[in-house]
Amino acid sequence: MWEDGMGGTSMATGPYYLSPPQSCFTYYPIYSDCLGAIADWFKGNWKEARKPKVAYLTADNAMGRSIEIPEMKAYLEKIGYEFVGTQYVPLCPPRRRLPS
């Protein structure tokens, strides 16, 4: 596509799409950008004296773990959040056996 001068769209949002020059346009922001924007908005509306707490509730796969980067945690702590941990959610629920 690059050689033909054509653009394309993708629902993927990896850093490989963010390094110019590129010819793909993404539908969604990357997870860290989403969390940063939400954290900024939430902090701007925070009224309590204590620090707001943040945790990751994310998929137990490579995509879900992609938000766990040192820069994201450092940013959240820098703007005044207390990081309290991560909980992974299985993408496919475990099978349950039916009673016989």
Side-chain angles (χ1 to χ4, degrees):
M1 291 176 65
W2 177 252
E3 291 173 3
D4 292 335
M6 295 178 63
T9 57
S10 174
M11 292 181 75
T13 54
Y16 41 85
Y17 285 137
L18 305 177
S19 303
Q22 296 296 344
S23 61
C24 285
F25 306 97
T26 65
Y27 290 5
Y28 305 112
I30 58 176
Y31 283 168
S32 55
D33 289 350
C34 288
L35 180 55
I38 292 167
D40 288 343
W41 177 87
F42 192 86
K43 187 72 164 85
N45 292 284
W46 185 250
K47 305 291 185 220
E48 297 184 33
R50 68 174 178 82
K51 289 182 174 185
K53 296 179 181 183
V54 65
Y56 298 150
L57 176 63
T58 189
D60 190 12
N61 63 16
M63 182 181 71
R65 292 176 186 270
S66 69
I67 197 166
E68 293 185 293
I69 57 173
E71 297 85 356
M72 186 77 254
K73 186 177 176 189
Y75 179 73
L76 293 169
E77 290 173 344
K78 176 183 163 190
I79 64 171
Y81 281 83
E82 178 186 347
F83 186 77
V84 295
T86 303
Q87 177 70 48
Y88 300 105
V89 179
L91 213 49
C92 296
R95 285 186 167 200
R96 294 179 18 190
R97 291 186 179 255
L98 297 175
S100 335

